[in-house]
Amino acid sequence: MTRIAQRPVETATYTQLQQFYAEHMSAIDDGEVERWLDTFTDDATIANNARPQPARGRATIAVVAHRLVAEARAQRVVHRHWTGMLQAVWLPDGAVQATSYAMVVETPAAGSPHLWRSTRCQDTLVHSEGRWRIRERYVRHDDVGG
């Protein structure tokens, strides 16, 4: 994970980013994959330390997202993402590097909720056409080495 010493975003931008993540995470939790995908650039990349190959491009990301949503429905579980500890800094190219913790609570039908995933997420976001979109995402799963 790259540490870049840049200036923090202004309060208004920080508030926009918090709203962005609230909408982004609720979209995937609600199974609205297309709405969630619309928060990524067409050429976005998602990588993590749990799988060797990153997903490149919105079409590839869509396949993975649809599969994960279908698996959760088939298993009759609900996932709720919570993000916090957001740090956001400007990058030299005008993009924003946003780093946060992301926890996923899983609740089985007629069961008790439990922590399913604990991660640290680093996104590169770009602002275009009046909105934020994720260009790159790297997720570090806490239970995976490397």
Side-chain angles (χ1 to χ4, degrees):
M1 204 172 297
T2 305
R3 303 288 287 174
I4 299 174
Q6 296 291 331
R7 66 183 171 90
V9 300
E10 301 79 13
T11 302
T13 300
Y14 190 85
T15 301
Q16 289 175 3
L17 294 173
Q18 288 182 311
Q19 184 66 32
F20 169 83
Y21 281 110
E23 293 171 5
H24 171 74
M25 294 302 185
S26 67
I28 197 67
D29 288 346
D30 293 342
E32 296 180 18
V33 175
E34 297 307 316
R35 183 167 64 102
W36 181 78
L37 288 168
D38 195 40
T39 63
F40 291 90
T41 62
D42 289 337
D43 62 346
T45 300
I46 298 178
N48 66 59
N49 64 331
R51 291 188 174 70
Q53 294 298 320
R56 298 185 192 281
R58 201 186 290 185
T60 302
I61 294 168
V63 171
V64 175
H66 281 291
R67 179 179 50 79
L68 292 173
V69 167
E71 286 174 359
R73 285 186 178 144
Q75 295 169 5
R76 298 184 60 221
V77 298
V78 173
H79 291 141
R80 297 286 181 233
H81 287 74
W82 177 88
T83 58
M85 305 298 286
L86 178 64
Q87 300 173 50
V89 296
W90 291 107
L91 296 174
D93 67 356
V96 168
Q97 181 181 66
T99 305
S100 62
Y101 295 153
M103 309 286 182
V104 184
V105 174
E106 181 178 77
T107 306
S112 297
H114 63 274
L115 183 61
W116 183 55
R117 294 273 191 269
S118 173
T119 68
R120 183 174 179 158
C121 184
Q122 184 173 299
D123 288 342
T124 301
L125 296 112
V126 293
H127 197 266
S128 67
E129 300 176 12
R131 55 185 292 198
W132 291 101
R133 284 203 168 100
I134 299 165
R135 180 174 65 201
E136 296 176 4
R137 168 168 284 172
Y138 182 76
V139 179
R140 181 171 176 77
H141 294 257
D142 293 337
D143 61 340
V144 177

